[in-house]
Amino acid sequence: MTPVIEVTGLTKTYGSGPNAVHALRGVDLTVWPGEYLAIMGASGSGKSTLLNMLGCLDVPTSGSYKLDGIDVGDFEERQLSLVRNRKIGFVFQSFNLIPRTTALANVELPLVYSGMRRKQRRERAFAALELVGLADRAQHLPNELSGGQQQRVAVARALVTGPAMVLADEPTGNLDSASSAEVLGVFDRLNASGRTIVMITHEDDVAHHASRLIRVVDGRVATTVGATR
Ligand code: ADP
Ligand code: MG
Protein backbone atom coordinates (compact mmCIF):
# COMPACT_ATOMS: atom_id res chain seq x y z
CA MET A 1 0.00 0.00 0.00
CA THR A 2 1.25 3.51 -0.85
CA PRO A 3 1.03 6.11 1.93
CA VAL A 4 -1.14 9.12 1.13
CA ILE A 5 1.41 11.29 2.94
CA GLU A 6 5.09 10.48 3.39
CA VAL A 7 7.05 13.36 4.83
CA THR A 8 10.69 13.19 5.97
CA GLY A 9 12.78 15.83 7.71
CA LEU A 10 10.37 18.60 6.80
CA THR A 11 11.42 22.09 7.89
CA LYS A 12 9.94 25.50 7.27
CA THR A 13 11.63 28.77 8.13
CA TYR A 14 9.83 32.06 7.56
CA GLY A 15 12.09 35.06 6.97
CA SER A 16 15.85 35.00 7.44
CA GLY A 17 18.67 36.25 9.65
CA PRO A 18 17.72 37.47 13.11
CA ASN A 19 14.04 37.60 12.11
CA ALA A 20 13.87 33.96 11.04
CA VAL A 21 10.98 31.95 12.50
CA HIS A 22 11.62 28.21 12.54
CA ALA A 23 8.01 27.09 12.26
CA LEU A 24 8.85 23.44 11.47
CA ARG A 25 12.08 21.87 12.70
CA GLY A 26 12.13 18.42 11.13
CA VAL A 27 8.84 16.57 10.86
CA ASP A 28 8.58 12.92 9.83
CA LEU A 29 5.04 11.77 9.18
CA THR A 30 3.40 8.93 7.31
CA VAL A 31 -0.35 8.77 6.80
CA TRP A 32 -1.94 5.65 5.31
CA PRO A 33 -5.06 5.48 3.19
CA GLY A 34 -8.17 5.39 5.36
CA GLU A 35 -6.52 6.97 8.40
CA TYR A 36 -8.16 9.78 10.36
CA LEU A 37 -5.36 11.79 11.89
CA ALA A 38 -5.83 14.57 14.43
CA ILE A 39 -3.10 17.18 14.87
CA MET A 40 -3.04 19.02 18.19
CA GLY A 41 -0.64 21.53 19.72
CA ALA A 42 -0.47 24.97 21.29
CA SER A 43 -1.12 28.10 19.28
CA GLY A 44 2.00 28.95 17.26
CA SER A 45 3.44 25.41 17.46
CA GLY A 46 3.39 24.98 13.66
CA LYS A 47 0.15 23.08 12.98
CA SER A 48 -1.15 25.31 10.20
CA THR A 49 2.31 25.55 8.67
CA LEU A 50 2.44 21.74 8.55
CA LEU A 51 -1.04 21.52 7.02
CA ASN A 52 -0.13 24.15 4.41
CA MET A 53 2.89 22.03 3.40
CA LEU A 54 0.80 18.85 3.30
CA GLY A 55 -1.74 20.69 1.14
CA CYS A 56 0.92 22.04 -1.24
CA LEU A 57 -0.25 25.57 -0.42
CA ASP A 58 3.32 26.48 0.43
CA VAL A 59 6.71 24.83 -0.09
CA PRO A 60 8.98 23.57 2.70
CA THR A 61 12.46 24.97 3.32
CA SER A 62 13.91 21.45 3.34
CA GLY A 63 12.85 17.84 3.57
CA SER A 64 10.90 15.59 1.23
CA TYR A 65 7.21 15.08 0.62
CA LYS A 66 5.57 12.30 -1.31
CA LEU A 67 1.87 12.79 -1.83
CA ASP A 68 0.05 9.64 -2.92
CA GLY A 69 3.44 8.26 -3.99
CA ILE A 70 4.43 11.34 -6.01
CA ASP A 71 7.47 13.38 -4.96
CA VAL A 72 6.19 16.94 -5.12
CA GLY A 73 9.50 18.45 -4.00
CA ASP A 74 10.54 19.75 -7.39
CA PHE A 75 7.12 20.80 -8.58
CA GLU A 76 6.54 24.31 -9.84
CA GLU A 77 3.51 26.35 -8.87
CA ARG A 78 1.49 25.26 -11.90
CA GLN A 79 2.07 21.58 -11.11
CA LEU A 80 1.36 22.14 -7.42
CA SER A 81 -1.97 23.75 -8.21
CA LEU A 82 -2.91 20.74 -10.36
CA VAL A 83 -2.00 18.41 -7.49
CA ARG A 84 -4.04 20.51 -5.07
CA ASN A 85 -7.05 20.43 -7.33
CA ARG A 86 -6.88 16.67 -8.01
CA LYS A 87 -5.62 15.14 -4.80
CA ILE A 88 -6.61 17.36 -1.92
CA GLY A 89 -9.85 18.66 -0.45
CA PHE A 90 -9.52 21.59 1.96
CA VAL A 91 -11.80 22.61 4.80
CA PHE A 92 -10.96 25.72 6.83
CA GLN A 93 -12.30 27.33 9.97
CA SER A 94 -14.09 29.96 7.89
CA PHE A 95 -16.34 28.25 5.38
CA ASN A 96 -15.26 30.44 2.43
CA LEU A 97 -18.48 29.91 0.51
CA ILE A 98 -19.30 32.33 -2.27
CA PRO A 99 -22.19 34.53 -1.16
CA ARG A 100 -25.38 34.86 -3.23
CA THR A 101 -24.48 31.55 -4.89
CA THR A 102 -26.42 28.37 -4.23
CA ALA A 103 -24.98 25.50 -2.21
CA LEU A 104 -25.00 23.38 -5.37
CA ALA A 105 -23.07 25.98 -7.41
CA ASN A 106 -20.55 26.41 -4.58
CA VAL A 107 -19.89 22.66 -4.53
CA GLU A 108 -19.67 22.56 -8.32
CA LEU A 109 -16.95 25.19 -8.48
CA PRO A 110 -13.82 22.97 -8.17
CA LEU A 111 -15.12 20.96 -11.15
CA VAL A 112 -15.40 24.01 -13.39
CA TYR A 113 -11.61 24.11 -13.68
CA SER A 114 -11.48 20.45 -14.69
CA GLY A 115 -13.33 21.04 -17.93
CA MET A 116 -16.13 18.64 -16.98
CA ARG A 117 -19.47 19.18 -18.73
CA ARG A 118 -22.17 21.06 -16.92
CA LYS A 119 -24.64 18.19 -16.55
CA GLN A 120 -22.01 15.89 -15.07
CA ARG A 121 -20.78 18.66 -12.77
CA ARG A 122 -24.28 19.15 -11.46
CA GLU A 123 -24.69 15.42 -10.82
CA ARG A 124 -21.37 15.14 -8.99
CA ALA A 125 -22.06 18.22 -6.89
CA PHE A 126 -25.50 16.93 -5.98
CA ALA A 127 -24.03 13.54 -4.97
CA ALA A 128 -21.49 15.32 -2.74
CA LEU A 129 -24.30 17.29 -1.09
CA GLU A 130 -26.16 14.01 -0.54
CA LEU A 131 -23.05 12.60 1.17
CA VAL A 132 -23.11 15.41 3.74
CA GLY A 133 -26.88 15.13 4.15
CA LEU A 134 -27.80 18.39 2.42
CA ALA A 135 -29.48 17.29 -0.81
CA ASP A 136 -32.62 19.14 0.30
CA ARG A 137 -30.68 22.40 0.65
CA ALA A 138 -29.02 22.35 -2.79
CA GLN A 139 -30.77 25.53 -3.98
CA HIS A 140 -30.28 27.48 -0.76
CA LEU A 141 -27.90 30.42 -0.48
CA PRO A 142 -25.15 30.35 2.19
CA ASN A 143 -26.94 33.00 4.29
CA GLU A 144 -30.02 30.76 4.37
CA LEU A 145 -28.02 27.98 6.05
CA SER A 146 -26.83 27.47 9.62
CA GLY A 147 -23.11 27.52 10.41
CA GLY A 148 -23.03 23.73 10.61
CA GLN A 149 -24.82 23.43 7.27
CA GLN A 150 -22.46 25.93 5.63
CA GLN A 151 -19.47 23.94 6.85
CA ARG A 152 -21.06 20.76 5.50
CA VAL A 153 -21.40 22.49 2.11
CA ALA A 154 -17.67 23.31 2.39
CA VAL A 155 -16.98 19.63 3.12
CA ALA A 156 -19.02 18.63 0.05
CA ARG A 157 -16.99 21.09 -2.03
CA ALA A 158 -13.80 19.51 -0.67
CA LEU A 159 -15.02 16.04 -1.67
CA VAL A 160 -16.47 16.71 -5.10
CA THR A 161 -13.23 16.13 -7.00
CA GLY A 162 -12.71 12.74 -5.33
CA PRO A 163 -9.48 13.75 -3.54
CA ALA A 164 -6.96 11.31 -2.03
CA MET A 165 -7.38 13.10 1.29
CA VAL A 166 -9.25 15.84 3.09
CA LEU A 167 -7.21 18.39 5.07
CA ALA A 168 -9.09 20.38 7.68
CA ASP A 169 -7.71 23.26 9.78
CA GLU A 170 -9.90 23.71 12.88
CA PRO A 171 -13.10 23.00 10.92
CA THR A 172 -15.27 23.28 14.04
CA GLY A 173 -13.48 26.36 15.39
CA ASN A 174 -16.33 28.74 14.46
CA LEU A 175 -19.21 26.43 15.36
CA ASP A 176 -21.42 25.97 18.40
CA SER A 177 -21.46 22.50 19.93
CA ALA A 178 -24.53 21.25 18.05
CA SER A 179 -23.10 22.38 14.69
CA SER A 180 -19.70 20.89 15.61
CA ALA A 181 -21.34 17.56 16.30
CA GLU A 182 -23.07 17.74 12.89
CA VAL A 183 -19.81 18.38 11.05
CA LEU A 184 -17.86 15.79 13.05
CA GLY A 185 -20.59 13.26 12.29
CA VAL A 186 -20.02 13.90 8.58
CA PHE A 187 -16.26 13.39 8.96
CA ASP A 188 -16.91 10.18 10.92
CA ARG A 189 -19.10 8.82 8.15
CA LEU A 190 -16.62 9.82 5.45
CA ASN A 191 -13.79 8.09 7.30
CA ALA A 192 -15.96 5.01 7.91
CA SER A 193 -16.41 4.79 4.12
CA GLY A 194 -12.63 4.83 3.67
CA ARG A 195 -11.65 8.49 3.19
CA THR A 196 -8.35 9.75 4.53
CA ILE A 197 -8.71 12.74 6.84
CA VAL A 198 -6.10 14.97 8.48
CA MET A 199 -7.61 17.46 10.91
CA ILE A 200 -6.13 20.16 13.13
CA THR A 201 -8.03 20.84 16.33
CA HIS A 202 -7.33 22.24 19.76
CA GLU A 203 -10.25 20.42 21.36
CA ASP A 204 -9.74 17.02 22.98
CA ASP A 205 -13.27 15.86 22.31
CA VAL A 206 -12.86 16.67 18.61
CA ALA A 207 -9.55 14.79 18.47
CA HIS A 208 -11.24 11.74 19.94
CA HIS A 209 -13.08 11.23 16.68
CA ALA A 210 -9.75 10.49 14.99
CA SER A 211 -8.04 7.10 14.78
CA ARG A 212 -4.61 8.59 15.53
CA LEU A 213 -3.39 11.71 17.28
CA ILE A 214 -0.10 13.58 16.95
CA ARG A 215 1.02 16.57 18.99
CA VAL A 216 3.13 19.34 17.50
CA VAL A 217 5.44 21.10 19.95
CA ASP A 218 7.75 23.88 18.75
CA GLY A 219 7.74 22.67 15.16
CA ARG A 220 8.31 19.00 15.94
CA VAL A 221 6.01 16.01 16.30
CA ALA A 222 6.23 15.25 20.00
CA THR A 223 3.95 12.29 20.58
CA THR A 224 1.86 9.91 18.59
CA VAL A 225 -1.11 8.12 20.06
CA GLY A 226 -2.75 5.34 18.07
CA ALA A 227 -6.40 4.46 18.04
CA THR A 228 -7.82 7.25 20.15
CA ARG A 229 -11.37 6.03 19.68
P1 ADP B 1 -0.39 27.11 14.69
O1 ADP B 1 -1.25 26.82 13.50
O2 ADP B 1 0.04 25.90 15.43
O3 ADP B 1 -1.00 28.12 15.60
P2 ADP B 1 1.40 28.34 12.74
O4 ADP B 1 1.82 27.23 11.86
O5 ADP B 1 0.34 29.23 12.22
O6 ADP B 1 0.99 27.76 14.18
O7 ADP B 1 2.67 29.23 13.11
C1 ADP B 1 3.90 28.68 13.53
C2 ADP B 1 4.91 29.81 13.72
O8 ADP B 1 5.23 30.36 12.45
C3 ADP B 1 4.40 30.98 14.54
O9 ADP B 1 5.48 31.50 15.28
C4 ADP B 1 3.91 31.97 13.51
O10 ADP B 1 3.95 33.28 14.01
C5 ADP B 1 4.90 31.75 12.38
N1 ADP B 1 4.32 32.01 11.04
C6 ADP B 1 3.27 31.38 10.48
N2 ADP B 1 3.03 31.83 9.24
C7 ADP B 1 3.97 32.79 9.00
C8 ADP B 1 4.27 33.63 7.88
N3 ADP B 1 3.56 33.57 6.75
N4 ADP B 1 5.32 34.48 8.01
C9 ADP B 1 6.06 34.54 9.15
N5 ADP B 1 5.83 33.76 10.23
C10 ADP B 1 4.81 32.90 10.17
MG1 MG C 1 -3.23 27.45 13.02
Side-chain angles (χ1 to χ4, degrees), residues 12-15 19-24 39-52 58 169-170 200 216 219:
K12 178 66 177 181
T13 304
Y14 295 108
N19 300 321
V21 176
H22 301 283
L24 294 179
I39 302 177
M40 296 191 82
S43 177
S45 58
K47 304 180 300 294
S48 292
T49 299
L50 177 58
L51 205 81
N52 289 346
D58 197 358
D169 195 344
E170 308 232 15
I200 294 178
V216 179

Side-chain angles (χ1 to χ4, degrees), residues 36 38-40 170-173 175-185 187-188 199-213 215 228-229:
Y36 184 172
I39 302 177
M40 296 191 82
E170 308 232 15
T172 61
L175 300 175
D176 60 39
S177 54
S179 294
S180 287
E182 229 177 74
V183 168
L184 291 171
F187 279 115
D188 285 349
M199 179 188 291
I200 294 178
T201 180
H202 61 265
E203 293 166 271
D204 284 315
D205 49 337
V206 172
H208 279 99
H209 286 256
S211 51
R212 182 155 66 101
L213 165 65
R215 279 182 199 281
T228 61
R229 70 186 162 197

